[in-house]
Amino acid sequence: MHVKSINPVTLLSWIVWALLFVGLPMAVAGWESRRQADTPDRMAAVDAVRNRKPSTPPPAVDPVRVYALERDQAVAFNQAVPFSRDPNPAARPFLFSGTETDLARAIDCLAAAEIYEAGDDAVGEQAVAQVVLNRVRHPAFPKSVCGVVFQGQERQTGCQFTFSCDGALARMPGPAAWARAQDIARGALAGKVYAPVGHATHYHTDWVVPYWSASLDKITAVGTHLFFRWRGWWGTPAAFRRSVDPGEPLIAKIARFSIAHRDAGLPLPGAITPVGDSAEAIAAQARQAIGLDQIGKTVAGVRLIALADIRSFIVELPKGSKADSWPESARTFCAGRPQCRIMGWIAADAPKELPLTLANLAAMRFSYMHDVQSGLQRALWNCAITPRAAKNECMRQRVPVVVPADTGTNIGADTGLAGVRRKDRFETVKIVPPVAPMTPVAPASANP
């Protein structure tokens, strides 16, 4: 049998092709498997370095100041600053864990920030609420909702949220706008997250340039508002895990439209017990269901005017009743409630809507409150109308303030209010630094 010889050149070609079609893919597959096996460890090491908590304290939070730029210049400058390419994860749900008193105060502080910063605009209010709660969790800011919102309120200028020190609080929110802001605040404190702003702790409108904007990462825009977070570890989710103080401070500046921040709120020092049962005994009784469906109806001889919140009742006192009988209403309205407050008027002076005005407060005849946790129980009368033998049973007297006729009184109303934050703006007061105007930076050379 004749066997044909194989050309050495041909044999070498076959070997080369075999290596190309078999050996090379196997080698590539092996290299890829090794690379993939190494990638998680390598990336974990990179993340560990990037996310390592620094030994230095949190960044300083300075009063808000902006560059003296014309609106068009500021808009152009802000447009030239690119958005961060890093991930923008949503914040964890915020679950408020304080007492009912603290919750009521936190809701109203958060609602005030929403409506005075964003106006009667649901999207803007949600964004503001998320930034406030992000700050509460960050070690650079106060550890309570009201503390964050009213940080720097003692200053005439330069507070963190300018409405708290620029006079905007002289204008009260409209009832419908205030109720919606409270609902948004209540949802945010119960775990509702506004994801687009991530872990932002700062924001401004696109027609101003704050001094801090160059040192933070621009992460998103909501309408005409730009949101920022700190760079490095202080802007990562790990930095937003600080515990929150159990108590919420009293904010007298919003007492005009917040019952939770009125009359030193709850708890108050001292105890007066002009009713037959103690606060503990009343709270231990079976709770009577009193809801919105009973507004305008008579409950145990007292007409319910409104529910200010889950523990505050605005009532019309029985016609012709004696002042000493008014505390009896506590047994009906406050039964089963650890914290409770009743505010009473006679029919002629009863308030027609919320929030209450100073004139409403001056006409109030009676109030009762208790807080089982602090041991407080107090009943107070309007001694200018109903004198009491014990002066410590007299409520503080108020003088109604007349609002000038040429300005609106309701935020969210259709009247134009100069200096009040509308739905198209978060910031109002522009604190110009005492330096020469900054030369506009061309877009091509703008720093991120």
Side-chain angles (χ1 to χ4, degrees):
M1 181 177 176
H2 177 72
V3 178
K4 186 177 180 180
S5 61
I6 300 176
N7 190 314
V9 176
T10 303
L11 179 61
L12 180 62
S13 298
W14 286 354
I15 294 174
V16 171
W17 281 108
L19 290 173
L20 288 174
F21 283 99
V22 179
L24 183 59
M26 293 178 63
V28 170
W31 178 79
E32 284 289 342
S33 64
R34 289 194 300 273
R35 189 178 76 89
Q36 292 175 2
D38 292 340
T39 295
D41 293 338
R42 183 175 62 84
M43 293 303 296
V46 171
D47 289 341
V49 173
R50 180 184 301 163
N51 298 330
R52 183 180 301 155
K53 183 177 180 179
S55 58
T56 55
V61 182
D62 297 321
V64 178
R65 295 190 303 162
V66 301
Y67 287 104
L69 293 177
E70 296 296 331
R71 179 184 177 120
D72 292 344
Q73 293 175 327
V75 171
F77 182 91
N78 288 321
Q79 288 178 343
V81 178
F83 288 100
S84 171
R85 295 184 179 181
D86 292 335
N88 181 29
R92 293 178 297 114
F94 188 103
L95 299 174
F96 192 87
S97 59
T99 66
E100 289 187 14
T101 298
D102 292 329
L103 177 59
R105 290 181 180 176
I107 288 172
D108 285 1
C109 284
L110 193 56
E114 295 165 14
I115 198 166
Y116 282 95
E117 288 289 296
D120 188 15
D121 168 47
V123 175
E125 289 178 12
Q126 292 176 68
V128 170
Q130 189 62 59
V131 169
V132 170
L133 297 185
N134 287 348
R135 287 190 171 199
V136 174
R137 281 177 163 161
H138 199 282
F141 298 93
K143 297 176 66 175
S144 66
V145 176
C146 293
V148 164
V149 172
F150 289 90
Q151 184 179 11
Q153 63 168 321
E154 69 281 357
R155 306 177 186 133
Q156 291 184 347
T157 59
C159 43
Q160 287 300 308
F161 292 92
T162 52
F163 78 89
S164 70
C165 65
D166 69 358
L169 285 168
R171 299 173 175 85
M172 294 176 62
W178 177 244
R180 181 162 77 166
Q182 286 180 306
D183 286 342
I184 292 173
R186 194 174 290 107
L189 292 169
K192 186 174 181 179
V193 174
Y194 186 71
V197 301
H199 291 84
T201 50
H202 296 69
Y203 59 78
H204 66 80
T205 57
D206 64 0
W207 58 80
V208 299
V209 181
Y211 274 36
W212 48 255
S213 64
S215 62
L216 276 67
D217 281 340
K218 185 171 74 170
I219 58 175
T220 193
V222 178
T224 59
H225 307 90
L226 306 174
F227 291 79
F228 299 77
R229 69 177 174 220
W230 270 304
R231 293 172 181 165
W233 188 87
W234 294 111
T236 65
F240 294 81
R241 297 186 181 277
R242 185 190 56 176
S243 61
V244 180
D245 277 347
E248 287 289 334
L250 184 76
I251 306 298
K253 286 188 174 182
I254 60 174
R256 293 178 62 198
F257 51 86
S258 168
I259 292 178
H261 292 272
R262 187 171 297 142
D263 277 342
L266 294 175
L268 291 176
I272 301 174
T273 58
V275 295
D277 296 334
S278 66
E280 292 82 359
I282 294 175
Q285 297 171 7
R287 178 181 297 196
Q288 181 171 336
I290 301 176
L292 296 175
D293 59 325
Q294 291 173 283
I295 292 178
K297 298 180 180 179
T298 298
V299 180
V302 178
R303 191 176 76 88
L304 181 62
I305 299 175
L307 290 172
D309 54 47
I310 59 175
R311 62 174 179 82
S312 299
F313 304 92
I314 296 177
V315 303
E316 179 184 309
L317 301 168
K319 184 177 181 180
S321 60
K322 295 182 178 181
D324 286 336
S325 69
W326 296 339
E328 290 294 321
S329 58
R331 292 189 176 90
T332 298
F333 291 94
C334 298
R337 292 175 169 83
Q339 293 89 25
C340 184
R341 179 169 184 147
I342 302 169
M343 306 173 72
W345 284 261
I346 63 171
D349 298 327
K352 302 298 188 294
E353 63 180 7
L354 295 178
L356 299 174
T357 65
L358 285 179
N360 293 147
L361 297 176
M364 182 170 57
R365 298 295 181 94
F366 171 76
S367 71
Y368 168 85
M369 63 195 78
H370 76 224
D371 186 336
V372 174
Q373 182 177 0
S374 67
L376 169 76
Q377 185 179 27
R378 174 167 290 186
L380 299 172
W381 286 259
N382 187 334
C383 293
I385 305 173
T386 307
R388 303 293 293 178
K391 297 302 181 184
N392 58 0
E393 293 180 3
C394 297
M395 62 179 61
R396 180 170 58 88
Q397 296 301 305
R398 302 174 178 84
V399 178
V401 176
V402 178
V403 179
D406 59 347
T407 62
T409 58
N410 290 337
I411 294 176
D414 293 334
T415 55
L417 301 178
V420 175
R421 291 147 189 80
R422 305 287 290 178
K423 66 180 181 180
D424 59 344
R425 66 190 300 175
F426 285 139
E427 295 291 345
T428 294
V429 175
K430 313 300 187 298
I431 305 169
V432 180
V435 295
M438 184 182 72
T439 302
V441 181
S445 61
N447 295 323

